Amino acid sequence: MLKYKAAIFDLDGVLVDTAKYHYLAWKRLANMLGITFTEEDNERLKGVNRMKCLDIILEIGEMSLSIETKHELAEKKNSWYREYIENMDSSGLLEGAELYIQQMKSRGVLTAIGSASKNARTILSKTGIIEAFDAIVDGHMVQNAKPDPEVFEKCASLLNVSPIECVVFEDSQAGIEAAKAAGMKTVGLGSKEALKEADFVFANMSEIDVPLF
Ligand code: BG6
Ligand code: MG
């Protein structure tokens, strides 16, 4: 009998190496606006939707802009980001990710993507793993951004399981908070300092050694 029935994966920074491209594109935008934006600041952007990321950068720069200008800037960032991921393929998958998903599937575990990104489906197609998921919830499908639990609650409901039967794999503080708010078990991927609130933390998916499923 399985302890948990479903594995819900965040995409950026968990399965694919896109966090660096988000950072590069935001850094480019911050430079254009004359705002100093560091890698440490960038931790606050992980898992957070596009407009909220822009708001955080503007807050760092103590700048306030009209909603029209903000939409233009967010669009500009996205076009740079899409250029960076243009040639992405399966080599963009993070260490251990594909193998872990296949192992879970062969054990009968349900799988889902719970991502804030509106580019999630493009990336899943480019890297060739889109067929591996029983449900995909992306940035087009939620009203409330992480740390709100909506994205993960929607995954559980699409998979027809209860939240306590789900394990969430996340690289961001906002995502761990969202998963906990949904009442789910959490596995952090990245550094222990940044992901203190997670139930378990591993450097990458090839290091996961707890028998969750
Ligand atoms: C998350 C990333 O997965 O998606 C964030 O961690 C990003 O950094 C967010 O801002 C939204 O992505 P997109 O592709 O819709 O701009
Ligand atoms: Mg992420």
Side-chain angles (χ1 to χ4, degrees), residues 79-154:
S79 68
W80 288 331
Y81 175 69
R82 290 190 65 100
E83 273 172 34
Y84 298 151
I85 61 166
E86 174 67 32
N87 298 318
M88 192 167 192
D89 57 20
S90 61
S91 65
L93 289 167
L94 285 166
E95 198 182 335
E98 202 170 10
L99 182 63
Y100 190 83
I101 296 164
Q102 293 314 335
Q103 284 171 344
M104 294 309 111
K105 286 182 75 68
S106 66
R107 282 179 210 174
V109 176
L110 295 168
T111 54
I113 290 289
S115 170
S117 175
K118 293 183 172 164
N119 293 299
R121 283 168 199 269
T122 305
I123 291 167
L124 289 166
S125 297
K126 280 182 184 290
T127 52
I129 57 169
I130 196 159
E131 300 296 338
F133 301 96
D134 300 300
I136 297 171
V137 179
D138 66 17
H140 292 288
M141 298 163 72
V142 289
Q143 299 298 319
N144 306 297
K146 298 172 188 175
D148 188 282
E150 186 184 354
V151 60
F152 296 133
E153 286 167 350
K154 216 164 213 159

Side-chain angles (χ1 to χ4, degrees), residues 187-208:
V187 176
L189 281 317
S191 81
K192 287 208 163 73
E193 300 78 69
L195 302 168
K196 281 188 214 67
E197 311 299 325
D199 294 305
F200 305 98
V201 181
F202 300 99
N204 61 56
M205 294 190 54
S206 67
E207 305 218 336
I208 300 177

